[in-house]
Amino acid sequence: MAKKNVIVIGGGIAGMESASYLSAMGFNVTLLEKSNELGGHLLNWERLFPTMRYGKQVIDFLAKGIDFEQINKVLNVEIKSIEKKNTQFCVELSNGKTFFGDSILITTGYDLFDAHRKEEYGYGIYNNVITSADLEKIFMSGNPITTTDGKTPKRIGIVHCVGSRDEKVGHVYCSKVCCVTGVKQAIEIKEKMPETEVFNFYMDMRMYGMHFEALYKKAQEKYGIQFIRGRLSEAAENIDGTIVLKVEDTLAGRPLKMNVDILVLLVGFVPSKGSKEVGKLMGLNIGINGFYKTKDQHTLTNVSNIDGVFFAGSCTGPKTITNTITDARAAASSVASYLLGFDLHKRDIENHEEFWLYDSK
Amino acid sequence: MNFDYFVLPFCIGALILFTILSTRYAMWIVKLPRIDKRKAWLGILKFKFIGSIWEVFRESLLHRKIFKINAMLGWMHMSFAFGWFLLIVIGAMESKFHKSRVFNMPYDPIFLRYFEHNTHGFFFAEGFTFIMDLILLILLTATILAISKRVYSNLFGLKRTTKLILGDKIALYSLWTIFPLRFLAESFTSGLYNNGGFLTGTFGNIFASFLPLQMLEYPFWWAYSSALCLFFIFLPFSRYMHIPTEIFLIYLRNCGIRTSKNHTGYTEFEIYSCSRCGICIDKCQLTDVMQNKTQGVYFIQQIRRNILSSETAYNCLLCGRCTTYCPVGIDINKVRLLKRHDFAPENGFNFNYLDEKVTVAPFEYDVIYFAGCMTHLTPTIKNSMVKILNKSGDRYIFLDKEGSICCGKPLLFAGNEKQARELKYENKKLINKTGAKTLVTSCPICYNIFKNEYNLTIEVLHHSQYIKRLIENKKITLSKSQLNVVYHDPCELSRTNNVYDEPREILNAIANLQTTNHEKDNALCCGGSLGNFVISETERNKITNNMVAKLSEHKPDVIVTACPLCKKTMNKQSDVPINDISELVSNAILQEKNY
């Protein structure tokens, strides 16, 4: 029997790990990536919570799987069209090449929320307002953290939930990783600059993962990082370039006005542009939050509405790195089961439409 | 004297109608505030009714405004109202000619054909008969149109019409039968006596050929009279109450009386002038996103039936589209705001701290700049305005740069008049202290309240007006870019305060302004309204999505508006960049500097 072909769309961590596993299971795998490097967002992230492991190490680990197996990596391409003929998928690429697959695995991931859209926080307007991604870039570069005029910041504010849990920008969901990222980045700042005061402004601290709570406790006890419950209402710039924050301390029950030298916005996950494009090309179901809608929320989390098309990673909703890797392996086994002629993904669960709570509105 | 028992239903109905109407109107006039009563009396001396008669003729009879909305709908209303009016007037004249005397019984013209059979020899008879038949024909076509409107409302430009209540239904069905019954009764009489005009005479002869007219004539006159009676009795309890009430409303409005902050007699005249035509339903943007019956017509219906819920009172964007298109000219927005007083919480915030907190150095300034809370949430607008103000050379004070006092409009939206007054008092004190001559605001909501409710002695400008003036006085010079822009009219600036031209003139000077299908009075609400306390964010997003799609139809480079709230709201849904007009102006200054 001829080897079956799988096309994996997106070379982030989900795409890498599922490609490795599919290849190991004996399929011909083609991994498509629009940039010139595999690794996705993780390439731009220095360290990971809660261990402070380097992101690079995780990418290296995943790359070993890719190198080990005979995977056809196609970089710098975008998808022009996808057609399904019987059980075959025909993927036409921007470089003129065409690939045929028996199954497609979509790992198009997420984009970071564009902080410009939260205009009242002043990103792109005030110089000393940056995002968590910008801060990671500084960490990666190894340069010291300074204000735009080169001074060492005396006080840094970190705002949680920027673009998440915010009806005003149309994203009602929690992005899952920002709370603990805020704790992690606050600790990193403190480690580099012990004299700098760090304030985190949060709505809820969601420390659901193993060791997250310990990290949060350490941030307070060991590093003296301050956590203030209250959503930032607006930021304004002083003449000297510092940022005035207006926020309500909802635990103390009083309004608060504070000057900080740098303001960091913890930007959340939004459905990626790539996901939207692929979804449009193929006619995939999109959930109310804009991420792909899986066939069922509990049981068929890698299965799409098109037979032979599967999902892995954060294209179906915000996920941590750990979850994404696990999900990628799960997706690989779903694809394998499909290609080997098992109908595991076709098992029916009663009224799965009805149990899409948020969508049922 | 002409008399038969069948005239009694008509007379009784008319008497009941007259009694109810005069009692109600008298009560409402008593309920008018003293100042409005004075205006109404003075209106008589100043012959305000002459203008009012013309308006009544134009609106109540010809229905000009409805014609503007849809010609078919206008034609139906005009043929009904004007036709019936002519039938009454010419009928009265006809009956007087027959009797050759000025005074006769009020029912004479209505049942003339039954009593007077000898119309042949009379000089005017041929003429009158012809005219009366023609009018009756028009009224019959109007009835057919009215019935088909119930079935095919789309033909009349109405996607949705109002749901009727019992009183409406009885009045409606009796109205539908009045003219067909008159036609039949008159035709039967004509058939019997071989007279009548081209309509009743012809049909009379046809009916005579196969119907026992002798038996039918009398009951049909009874039926005609009863239909009139039924209509008259149910008129005060139905939508048709608008027919007589609108006349009074027009007069009072011409006397300069407007909807006030309290429920007065004028409000009664307004709400009873509502014809429940339902034009406001299609114009309301909420109609597309929710099922709730909250539109102007239902809101007023609830007041009339005394079952107004707070949900209906607060579920409104206050965009004013309904008010603009209301054929009767009811100020629905203002009525909605005054009704919110009934639901607003008694005690709210304590503003005592404001006295010590906010101070301003008394100094000679030319201009006060009041950004407002929404502008503080859109700092690009704030920065642009600061740049423009610096460039203008005017000595200005940025009044709410640090601590600011709310303009009070959000409290007014909530119906909390008293608390808003406290804020207004504090702001007014600050404004007067500065000694400035001009107050510039960036937010149309602030602009509206400062201009219309503060009674300030100084001039209030929106920043678009201020910028326009700076350009005219050559205080700033701007370069023209090749950007294709469309302009979105903010509700509080355009419909409420008629600021239409200044922003357009500025945009014509600095960019290529394109037109859209939703301009000026027909502009859409962005969905961000502070006036609605009920709808969910999802419903708001739908409104925004719909309107952004309409504005982006011709793919402009930028959608320009003149309101921080509109900008913020549209920004979250739009793929096309959204800018405030001040941002474009500020950029245009920058470009000039580079040369």
Side-chain angles (χ1 to χ4, degrees):
Chain A
M1 198 174 90
K3 270 181 141 186
K4 296 232 174 175
N5 300 308
V6 184
I7 296 171
V8 180
I9 303 173
I13 55 176
M16 289 170 85
E17 188 63 358
S18 45
S20 303
Y21 269 73
L22 283 165
S23 179
M25 287 185 239
F27 300 106
N28 271 335
V29 181
T30 308
L31 178 56
L32 309 178
E33 166 58 35
K34 66 170 184 243
S35 73
N36 56 5
E37 208 177 340
L38 295 180
H41 287 284
L42 189 52
L43 291 166
N44 306 320
W45 226 254
E46 196 198 24
R47 284 166 183 260
L48 308 181
F49 59 78
T51 54
M52 297 292 177
R53 174 188 298 287
Y54 286 97
K56 180 89 175 52
Q57 292 177 298
V58 174
I59 294 179
D60 288 346
F61 168 83
L62 297 175
K64 276 181 200 159
I66 298 277
D67 293 339
F68 195 71
E69 303 296 340
Q70 296 300 310
I71 290 167
N72 183 14
K73 287 169 282 186
V74 187
L75 303 176
N76 299 315
V77 286
E78 298 210 10
I79 292 167
K80 270 173 79 180
S81 73
I82 304 180
E83 271 178 56
K84 190 181 182 186
K85 286 174 191 151
N86 300 324
T87 57
Q88 279 271 314
F89 293 93
C90 170
V91 180
E92 198 188 334
L93 299 177
S94 55
N95 63 5
K97 284 187 186 155
T98 307
F99 287 92
F100 292 93
D102 298 292
S103 173
I104 286 187
L105 178 60
I106 297 177
T107 55
T108 43
Y110 67 95
D111 283 345
L112 287 168
F113 173 74
D114 177 12
H116 289 98
R117 285 180 55 199
K118 200 78 187 151
E119 196 183 335
E120 57 267 45
Y121 293 171
Y123 184 68
I125 303 169
Y126 308 137
N127 291 330
N128 288 317
V129 179
I130 60 173
T131 66
S132 46
D134 298 334
L135 184 62
E136 287 295 333
K137 260 181 221 152
I138 300 175
F139 289 155
M140 296 279 274
S141 70
N143 295 332
I145 304 163
T146 58
T147 61
T148 35
D149 49 8
K151 283 188 210 135
T152 305
K154 289 200 188 74
R155 192 185 275 169
I156 293 181
I158 298 180
V159 187
H160 290 231
C161 296
V162 177
S164 310
R165 301 178 70 194
D166 187 352
E167 279 196 88
K168 291 266 160 75
V169 295
H171 303 311
V172 292
Y173 53 88
C174 164
S175 287
K176 279 175 103 174
V177 302
C178 329
C179 281
V180 59
T181 300
V183 174
K184 183 206 76 141
Q185 290 188 335
I187 291 176
E188 285 173 292
I189 293 168
K190 272 298 213 187
E191 279 183 341
K192 289 177 209 298
M193 302 178 295
E195 298 304 309
T196 303
E197 285 182 293
V198 182
F199 290 87
N200 281 47
F201 300 95
Y202 68 95
M203 289 162 62
D204 295 292
M205 291 300 284
R206 297 190 162 170
M207 296 295 142
Y208 59 93
M210 191 56 92
H211 310 302
F212 290 7
E213 188 66 27
L215 195 71
Y216 177 37
K217 203 173 168 200
K218 194 166 153 191
Q220 295 171 76
E221 288 178 351
K222 185 173 169 195
Y223 295 98
I225 295 159
Q226 300 218 44
F227 290 85
I228 295 170
R229 196 184 81 177
R231 190 164 206 154
L232 185 65
S233 68
E234 66 177 88
E237 194 177 36
N238 291 320
I239 291 172
D240 62 359
T242 58
I243 309 292
V244 200
L245 305 182
K246 277 190 200 161
V247 63
E248 188 186 349
D249 184 337
T250 54
L251 287 180
R254 57 160 191 239
L256 193 81
K257 216 170 169 186
M258 183 190 279
N259 275 324
V260 296
D261 299 302
I262 294 177
L263 185 66
V264 181
L265 309 177
L266 288 169
V267 284
F269 282 36
V270 298
S272 73
K273 212 173 137 242
S275 298
K276 279 182 199 159
E277 285 167 3
V278 173
K280 223 180 206 172
L281 284 175
M282 301 190 72
L284 292 162
N285 283 351
I286 307 288
I288 198 153
N289 287 329
F291 291 97
Y292 287 126
K293 186 174 170 181
T294 58
K295 208 162 173 197
D296 184 74
Q297 280 204 88
H298 297 115
T299 57
L300 298 165
T301 49
N302 298 107
V303 184
S304 79
N305 56 314
I306 299 174
D307 204 28
V309 180
F310 296 86
F311 302 124
S314 53
C315 61
T316 56
K319 282 181 189 64
T320 62
I321 284 166
T322 319
N323 292 157
T324 304
I325 292 173
T326 328
D327 195 49
R329 291 172 190 156
S333 64
S334 300
V335 174
S337 141
Y338 165 76
L339 290 176
L340 297 174
F342 297 103
D343 282 344
L344 284 173
H345 67 287
K346 282 190 178 162
R347 275 177 295 173
D348 216 3
I349 178 158
E350 256 177 68
N351 312 334
H352 54 74
E353 273 301 317
E354 200 177 296
F355 288 98
W356 271 92
L357 281 183
Y358 206 81
D359 281 16
S360 63
K361 215 169 119 177
Chain B
M1 193 178 78
N2 295 324
F3 180 78
D4 193 287
Y5 287 108
F6 73 69
V7 304
L8 284 180
F10 164 78
C11 293
I12 295 167
L15 198 66
I16 292 174
L17 176 67
F18 181 77
T19 319
I20 297 177
L21 288 188
S22 45
T23 327
R24 278 195 188 166
Y25 292 158
M27 273 161 54
W28 297 342
I29 289 169
V30 170
K31 261 177 83 181
L32 280 176
R34 185 175 296 176
I35 181 157
D36 285 350
K37 267 187 210 140
R38 216 180 116 79
K39 278 183 189 166
W41 289 121
L42 283 175
I44 298 175
L45 295 178
K46 290 179 183 164
F47 298 106
K48 290 276 183 194
F49 48 81
I50 294 175
S52 307
I53 289 170
W54 168 236
E55 199 182 329
V56 167
F57 179 72
R58 215 175 50 202
E59 297 304 340
S60 304
L61 296 178
L62 300 187
H63 289 91
R64 186 187 59 126
K65 275 191 196 157
I66 300 182
F67 259 105
K68 274 190 189 167
I69 290 162
N70 182 289
M72 277 282 268
L73 196 66
W75 174 255
M76 187 200 97
H77 279 84
M78 187 185 84
S79 40
F80 248 124
F82 195 51
W84 204 348
F85 173 74
L86 289 178
L87 195 75
I88 294 167
V89 172
I90 297 178
M93 282 160 63
E94 187 190 22
S95 74
K96 288 183 202 334
F97 273 110
H98 272 285
K99 293 266 169 191
S100 313
R101 63 169 188 233
V102 182
F103 297 104
N104 52 1
M105 295 304 286
Y107 58 79
D108 260 359
I110 309 197
F111 306 109
L112 187 75
R113 291 291 149 82
Y114 181 81
F115 297 118
E116 300 289 337
H117 303 134
N118 182 18
T119 54
H120 294 287
F122 198 68
F123 181 69
F124 288 97
E126 297 292 325
F128 272 125
T129 318
F130 176 79
I131 293 169
M132 291 296 279
D133 267 16
L134 187 65
I135 298 168
L136 187 61
L137 182 65
I138 292 170
L139 281 163
L140 286 172
T141 56
T143 310
I144 294 166
L145 283 176
I147 295 170
S148 49
K149 175 181 158 250
R150 282 285 135 196
V151 189
Y152 308 106
S153 59
N154 264 333
L155 277 179
F156 295 80
L158 294 170
K159 280 193 215 128
R160 307 162 195 84
T161 50
T162 23
K163 296 263 179 302
L164 300 177
I165 55 170
L166 187 67
D168 284 342
K169 279 185 188 159
I170 297 174
L172 178 73
Y173 298 143
S174 50
L175 181 62
W176 283 358
T177 56
I178 287 173
F179 299 108
L181 282 174
R182 179 180 173 125
F183 163 69
L184 290 174
E186 286 194 345
S187 298
F188 293 166
T189 308
S190 304
L192 280 175
Y193 298 94
N194 198 21
N195 55 9
F198 70 93
L199 186 71
T200 50
T202 317
F203 277 88
N205 288 331
I206 295 171
F207 290 139
S209 64
F210 65 96
L211 289 174
L213 295 187
Q214 212 78 46
M215 270 162 67
L216 287 173
E217 187 204 9
Y218 191 58
F220 268 84
W221 282 106
W222 261 100
Y224 171 49
S225 176
S226 311
L228 280 170
C229 169
L230 208 60
F231 180 68
F232 287 157
I233 292 177
F234 279 90
L235 182 142
F237 309 102
S238 74
R239 60 201 309 211
Y240 303 102
M241 182 67 185
H242 80 272
I243 300 169
T245 314
E246 192 187 346
I247 297 168
F248 287 83
L249 182 73
I250 289 172
Y251 171 72
L252 293 176
R253 195 165 50 219
N254 278 332
C255 292
I257 302 174
R258 294 286 178 274
T259 321
S260 72
K261 294 205 162 168
N262 301 309
H263 192 119
T264 67
Y266 184 74
T267 325
E268 297 285 354
F269 278 108
E270 273 189 305
I271 61 176
Y272 280 89
S273 293
C274 173
S275 62
R276 280 182 221 148
C277 60
I279 286 169
C280 52
I281 302 179
D282 281 339
K283 294 295 171 191
C284 180
Q285 287 170 262
L286 290 176
T287 309
D288 296 331
V289 303
M290 60 178 9
Q291 302 296 322
N292 306 32
K293 290 188 174 171
T294 186
Q295 294 83 357
V297 50
Y298 293 117
F299 164 69
I300 287 173
Q301 193 177 41
Q302 284 190 19
I303 304 178
R304 259 160 92 158
R305 298 169 67 190
N306 216 359
I307 51 163
L308 180 65
S309 66
S310 81
E311 198 193 310
T312 307
Y314 284 100
N315 192 0
C316 172
L317 299 161
L318 296 175
C319 67
R321 281 170 62 81
C322 51
T323 307
T324 304
Y325 287 98
C326 179
V328 196
I330 305 169
D331 201 335
I332 306 169
N333 258 9
K334 276 197 180 159
V335 178
R336 180 100 57 170
L337 281 176
L338 77 87
K339 277 290 155 196
R340 288 185 180 183
H341 295 180
D342 301 346
F343 300 102
E346 276 280 305
N347 47 352
F349 316 101
N350 182 354
F351 295 132
N352 288 342
Y353 66 92
L354 286 176
D355 252 350
E356 314 122 44
K357 270 266 166 89
V358 187
T359 50
V360 54
F363 189 77
E364 282 289 312
Y365 296 104
D366 302 322
V367 173
I368 303 169
Y369 177 57
F370 188 93
C373 60
M374 276 300 152
T375 312
H376 279 281
L377 294 178
T378 45
T380 347
I381 300 179
K382 187 179 73 181
N383 290 354
S384 305
M385 275 314 292
V386 168
K387 188 173 149 192
I388 293 167
L389 283 159
N390 284 337
K391 187 84 186 171
S392 74
D394 285 340
R395 292 173 307 166
Y396 75 95
I397 173 170
F398 191 161
L399 195 67
D400 58 341
K401 189 179 183 186
E402 295 292 332
S404 62
I405 304 174
C406 171
C407 67
K409 191 76 189 173
L411 281 168
L412 284 184
F413 283 146
N416 207 331
E417 188 80 31
K418 206 175 126 220
Q419 296 246 287
R421 211 174 299 138
E422 287 180 50
L423 292 181
K424 275 152 66 178
Y425 173 77
E426 293 293 339
N427 264 327
K428 210 170 164 178
K429 230 167 42 182
L430 278 181
I431 291 167
N432 288 338
K433 227 185 215 174
T434 59
K437 306 264 182 312
T438 308
L439 171 67
V440 179
T441 76
S442 278
C443 175
I445 302 170
C446 303
Y447 171 70
N448 189 12
I449 188 173
F450 279 127
K451 188 166 191 305
N452 299 320
E453 312 212 16
Y454 266 70
N455 297 323
L456 290 173
T457 47
I458 65 169
E459 160 192 56
V460 182
L461 295 179
H462 179 257
H463 72 221
S464 57
Q465 297 170 308
Y466 177 68
I467 291 169
K468 176 80 209 313
R469 190 175 293 177
L470 290 180
I471 298 172
E472 274 173 0
N473 298 345
K474 304 217 159 45
K475 285 188 171 174
I476 52 171
T477 39
L478 306 172
S479 60
K480 184 164 175 139
S481 75
Q482 289 310 309
L483 280 180
N484 291 321
V485 301
V486 294
Y487 177 66
H488 163 68
D489 287 281
C491 303
E492 300 269 334
L493 198 61
S494 57
R495 269 185 293 267
T496 320
N497 284 299
N498 298 320
V499 180
Y500 295 116
D501 300 333
E502 288 91 337
R504 288 187 166 78
E505 282 163 24
I506 298 171
L507 287 173
N508 273 325
I510 60 175
N512 299 322
L513 180 62
Q514 300 173 330
T515 51
T516 68
N517 295 329
H518 296 276
E519 301 241 359
K520 302 190 174 178
D521 275 349
N522 193 26
L524 296 163
C525 169
C526 68
S529 165
L530 299 181
N532 196 312
F533 293 70
V534 177
I535 55 171
S536 70
E537 205 64 33
T538 324
E539 283 152 350
R540 281 181 190 273
N541 288 344
K542 273 190 208 158
I543 294 173
T544 314
N545 239 326
N546 292 346
M547 65 81 69
V548 165
K550 280 174 186 157
L551 286 180
S552 333
E553 231 162 37
H554 302 298
K555 306 211 166 9
D557 297 322
V558 184
I559 297 174
V560 185
T561 186
C563 170
L565 181 57
C566 291
K567 181 195 167 185
K568 223 173 138 43
T569 312
M570 289 193 277
N571 228 343
K572 70 179 173 185
Q573 301 286 335
S574 174
D575 294 328
V576 181
I578 313 284
N579 274 329
D580 185 87
I581 194 163
S582 62
E583 294 172 53
L584 254 66
V585 170
S586 151
N587 288 340
I589 298 176
L590 183 80
Q591 283 157 11
E592 178 225 17
K593 250 187 191 169
N594 286 345
Y595 287 122

